[in-house]
């Protein structure tokens, strides 16, 4: 079902993201990647899951290149949906990374990554941005992430989360349930897919619950609180949130 | 045969007297969206309705191929026009029958082959010829989503599905100029705001010569004919297949607009229709293929 939703949203995905978040998703993704500092300790092998249109992969490669003059860091972009990967491939064709070993595209399921293409203990960085809420079994995704990461590798997840401030929360709810499906109707001619997206955000576990799930998968995280030293960091009051963990 | 129907213009003036208080009442009542009451119903509160109205207006102009956006614009801006049309239908016997039967127009409910076999000069035959000439089918109409009252939703659906009948009886093809001429006609005949909005902005997409022709020849025809003709929403088209087109036009008060450019010549369409009439059994099975 998720695959079908993303078939229909693929071509307008970036337009819809800009319209729905008023461009703010770009700030969130910039913050996410720069806080990870890819390339700081030398070239990294990264895997970006549910990364279809390549937003995060491109930022990782650009950051490594611009900050550390690193042209050896590579990102494997994995997505369950072929249409989304095609969009990502098209975007990368406009960059200098096309046809280089720095980027590769793979169709696959985050809950069950192919053991031939993605053997155990391969990657230094695993990222998943705005994708994990669409997966049926979050624990399975976390287990796979744990499997493919090297010991000492980082797991990082950017996702919509629970807003704690009640005023912001009610404004956000109004916006999500009224404006977003209508934007989907107007821009993409598709109300159902965007209704689904809004509902999937509401179903996602809260920040402490998700942090506990990450710990259960075998990652070492910060304390179960927000901010410096904590397992997560809220963006815009909890509208989005960055969870990180390290494989021991 | 000529019963006394209120002309559309007089009724719209009556409606304007209640317009401001109706808006206030509607906005207060619709601050929260209701539950769906028919299949495909998407209830909207007043703010969402306004948002969709503006958004669909912009999108319709930006991409006129988005039929769903023009449909949404019609529904979000309908306001008091739909109850007025429903009341017009209730005031005459034919309109009441339509509201009772709630007929739908698509290739399942309309037997195209039977219509093609009707004699030349009948409305049914003219309709099939028109479909052939323009290369369209009656199946592309978006269902109604944003009207809360099921009966008014039907009136909106009926308006949308009868649009092709208006084309046929006014002898207009489906190019942009003819569609705009028909929007002017519909606006003065039915009073739907979306017809007025399309008429007011649709011509921006035309070239200068086309626009000049539209306003010099078609618009005067549309305004005169539309305002004096009987309200099109009260016509039970499906019961008039065998009626002569000339007689129907006289009864409804319609006369032909200036000659337009057709995609297919009349002779071509007639030849195709004759071929279909000559092979009835093959045609029969074709009409049941979904």
């Amino acid at each position: 079902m998720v695959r079908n939703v993303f078939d229909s949203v693929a071509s307008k995905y970036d337009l819809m993201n800009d319209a729905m978040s008023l461009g703010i998703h770009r700030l969130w993704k910039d913050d996410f990647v720069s806080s990870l500092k890819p390339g700081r300790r030398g070239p990294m092998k990264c895997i970006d899951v549910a990364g279809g249109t390549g937003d995060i992969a491109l930022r990782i490669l650009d950051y490594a290149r611009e900050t550390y003059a690193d042209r050896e860091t590579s990102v494997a972009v994995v997505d369950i949906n072929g249409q989304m990967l095609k969009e990502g491939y098209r975007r990368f064709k406009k960059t200098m990374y096309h046809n280089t070993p720095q980027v590769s595209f793979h169709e696959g399921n985050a809950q069950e990554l192919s053991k031939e293409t993605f053997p155990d203990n391969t990657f230094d960085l695993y990222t998943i941005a705005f994708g994990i809420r669409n997966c049926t079994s979050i624990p399975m995704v976390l287990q796979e992430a744990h499997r493919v990461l090297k010991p000492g590798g980082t797991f990082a997840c950017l996702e919509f989360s629970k807003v704690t401030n009640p005023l912001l929360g009610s404004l956000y709810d109004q916006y999500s349930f009224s404006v977003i499906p209508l934007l989907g109707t107007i821009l993409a001619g598709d109300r159902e897919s965007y209704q689904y997206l809004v509902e999937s955000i509401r179903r996602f576990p809260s920040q402490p619950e998700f942090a506990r799930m990450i710990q259960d998968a075998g990652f070492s995280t910060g304390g179960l609180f927000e901010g410096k030293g904590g397992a997560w960091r809220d963006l815009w009051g909890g509208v989005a949130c960055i969870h990180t963990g390290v494989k021991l | 045969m000529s019963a006394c129907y209120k002309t559309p213009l007089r009724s719209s003036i009556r409606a304007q007297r209640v317009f401001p208080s109706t808006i206030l009442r509607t906005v207060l009542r619709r601050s929260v969206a209701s539950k769906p009451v028919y299949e495909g119903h998407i209830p909207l509160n007043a703010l969402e309705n306004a948002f969709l109205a503006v958004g669909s207006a912009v999108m319709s102009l930006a991409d006129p191929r988005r039929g769903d956006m023009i449909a949404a614009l019609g529904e979000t801006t309908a306001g008091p026009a739909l109850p007025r049309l429903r009341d017009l239908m209730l005031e005459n016997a034919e309109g009441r029958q339509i509201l009772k039967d709630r007929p739908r127009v698509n290739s399942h409910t309309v037997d195209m082959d039977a219509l093609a076999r009707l004699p030349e000069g009948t409305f049914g035959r003219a309709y099939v010829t028109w479909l052939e000439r323009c290369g369209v089918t009656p199946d592309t109409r978006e269902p109604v989503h944003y009207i809360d009252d099921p009966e008014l939703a039907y009136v909106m659906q009926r308006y949308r599905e009868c649009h092709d009948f208006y084309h046929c009886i006014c002898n207009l093809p489906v190019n942009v100029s003819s569609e705009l001429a028909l929007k002017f006609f519909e606006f003065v005949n039915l009073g739907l705001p979306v017809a007025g909005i399309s008429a007011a902005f649709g011509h921006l997409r035309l070239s200068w010569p086309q626009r000049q022709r539209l306003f010099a020849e078609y618009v005067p025809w549309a305004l005169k004919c539309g305002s004096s003709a009987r309200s099109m929403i009260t016509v039970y088209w499906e019961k008039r297949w065998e009626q002569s087109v000339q007689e129907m036009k006289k009864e409804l008060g319609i006369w032909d607009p200036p000659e337009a450019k057709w995609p297919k010549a009349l002779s071509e369409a007639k030849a195709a229709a004759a071929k279909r009439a000559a092979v009835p059994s093959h045609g029969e099975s074709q009409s049941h293929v979904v």
Side-chain angles (χ1 to χ4, degrees), chain B:
Chain B
M1 207 30 212
S2 57
C4 177
Y5 306 110
K6 284 196 183 55
T7 64
L9 260 177
R10 236 188 284 146
S11 311
S12 65
I13 292 171
R14 252 207 6 240
Q16 273 156 27
R17 267 197 275 123
V18 297
F19 206 63
S21 55
T22 314
I23 288 191
L24 185 64
R25 253 185 287 131
T26 314
V27 168
L28 290 173
R29 204 181 339 123
R30 289 180 57 199
S31 51
V32 180
S34 50
K35 295 257 168 332
V37 292
Y38 55 84
E39 197 187 322
H41 181 208
I42 298 172
L44 298 177
N45 64 37
L47 279 173
E48 291 170 342
N49 195 68
F51 185 84
L52 186 57
V54 173
S56 58
V58 172
M59 205 55 171
S60 302
L61 201 55
D63 187 0
R65 287 168 308 167
R66 289 285 302 276
D68 61 323
M69 281 292 100
I70 301 175
L73 181 62
E75 290 165 36
T76 49
T77 56
L82 284 178
R84 194 181 65 77
L85 287 177
R86 190 258 315 270
D87 293 342
L88 272 175
M89 290 170 85
L90 286 173
E91 279 164 19
N92 106 45
E94 210 178 335
R96 283 195 291 273
Q97 195 62 42
I98 301 173
L99 284 176
K100 199 160 161 202
D101 297 343
R102 294 208 184 172
R104 299 293 299 267
V105 181
N106 52 54
S107 50
H108 299 293
T109 57
V110 176
D111 188 350
M112 301 295 172
D113 300 295
L115 294 184
R117 283 194 290 274
L118 286 172
E120 189 69 42
T122 53
F123 173 64
R125 183 68 180 269
Y127 176 58
V128 176
T129 312
W130 180 87
L131 286 174
E132 183 73 48
R133 276 182 97 182
C134 296
V136 294
T137 71
D139 286 330
T140 50
R141 299 295 159 185
E142 177 83 10
V144 172
H145 297 297
Y146 309 109
I147 306 288
D148 292 334
D149 181 324
E151 188 171 45
L152 297 181
Y154 173 72
V155 174
M156 187 53 140
Q157 191 76 58
R158 179 78 185 158
Y159 155 69
R160 216 172 271 164
E161 289 175 357
C162 291
H163 180 75
D164 285 349
F165 294 138
Y166 308 162
H167 267 282
C168 179
I169 199 78
C170 294
N171 207 22
L172 283 169
V174 287
N175 56 45
V176 184
S177 303
S178 306
E179 288 289 357
L180 287 175
L182 203 57
K183 284 298 160 202
F184 277 94
F185 178 93
E186 283 177 358
F187 182 57
V188 289
N189 187 273
L190 300 167
L192 280 165
V194 64
I197 296 171
S198 311
F201 293 99
H203 65 85
L204 295 170
R205 298 196 135 256
L206 293 177
S207 66
W208 260 114
Q210 283 174 318
R211 195 177 301 138
Q212 279 175 330
R213 181 140 197 258
L214 175 70
F215 281 97
E217 294 176 25
Y218 288 102
V219 173
W221 163 80
L223 297 179
K224 270 184 248 173
C225 187
S227 54
S228 65
R230 176 170 140 192
S231 180
M232 296 281 107
I233 199 78
T234 59
V235 179
Y236 203 148
W237 306 93
E238 294 92 326
K239 296 219 155 135
R240 291 164 175 260
W241 296 131
E242 284 98 20
Q243 191 177 2
S244 132
V245 176
Q246 296 308 326
E247 194 199 305
M248 232 170 112
K249 283 160 95 156
K250 215 195 257 162
E251 183 194 332
L252 300 174
I254 295 177
W255 60 92
D256 270 352
E259 192 54 49
K261 254 200 276 235
W262 293 80
K264 212 190 264 193
L266 193 55
S267 49
E268 266 185 64
K270 281 205 202 306
K275 218 187 291 175
R276 226 176 326 132
V279 199
S281 53
H282 177 69
E284 211 76 49
S285 59
Q286 281 286 76
S287 68
H288 291 299
V289 170
V290 174

Side-chain angles (χ1 to χ4, degrees), chain A residues 112-128:
Chain A
E112 227 181 305
L113 296 169
S114 141
K115 288 207 164 52
E116 294 96 52
T117 335
F118 306 110
D120 297 8
N121 305 316
T122 324
F123 294 100
D124 301 292
L125 176 64
Y126 178 110
T127 52
I128 182 165

Side-chain angles (χ1 to χ4, degrees), chain A residues 37-218:
Chain A
K37 298 194 179 17
R40 181 159 66 109
R41 297 210 196 87
M44 299 175 102
K45 283 189 73 165
C46 309
I47 178 170
D48 180 39
V49 178
T53 55
D55 269 355
I56 300 296
L58 188 56
R59 282 173 169 83
I60 289 175
L61 294 175
D62 279 345
Y63 188 92
R65 175 177 56 82
E66 285 170 3
T67 321
Y68 304 111
D70 168 357
R71 294 308 300 274
E72 284 76 40
T73 290
S74 65
V75 183
V77 180
V78 180
D79 200 291
I80 198 172
N81 185 286
Q83 290 301 320
M84 295 290 278
L85 280 174
K86 247 198 240 165
E87 288 296 321
Y89 186 77
R90 265 189 77 246
R91 159 169 319 145
F92 264 88
K93 248 185 159 182
K94 299 182 191 171
T95 69
M96 66 187 84
Y97 308 110
H98 175 65
N99 267 348
T100 71
Q102 284 195 276
V103 70
S104 55
F105 294 90
H106 312 265
E107 199 168 321
N109 188 333
Q111 295 174 188
E112 227 181 305
L113 296 169
S114 141
K115 288 207 164 52
E116 294 96 52
T117 335
F118 306 110
D120 297 8
N121 305 316
T122 324
F123 294 100
D124 301 292
L125 176 64
Y126 178 110
T127 52
I128 182 165
F130 300 120
I132 202 165
R133 73 177 186 280
N134 297 309
C135 300
T136 339
S137 162
I138 296 172
M140 280 179 79
V141 175
L142 295 172
Q143 264 169 41
E144 279 297 271
H146 194 264
R147 177 179 76 75
V148 302
L149 276 171
K150 290 181 194 155
T154 306
F155 166 84
C157 171
L158 172 64
E159 191 50 84
F160 290 111
S161 204
K162 301 268 184 285
V163 174
T164 38
N165 179 314
L167 181 60
L168 180 63
S170 69
L171 280 173
Y172 179 52
D173 279 348
Q174 250 305 76
Y175 181 74
S176 299
F177 287 107
S178 291
V179 177
I180 290 182
L182 286 179
L183 277 177
T185 311
I186 294 168
L187 295 173
D190 185 354
R191 189 189 173 87
E192 282 85 38
S193 299
Y194 290 92
Q195 195 98 51
Y196 163 78
L197 289 175
V198 171
E199 284 161 13
S200 70
I201 294 174
R202 293 298 175 292
R203 279 199 303 265
F204 194 70
S206 65
Q207 284 90 322
E209 275 170 53
F210 185 48
R212 202 158 295 137
M213 288 166 90
I214 295 175
Q215 285 175 348
D216 289 344

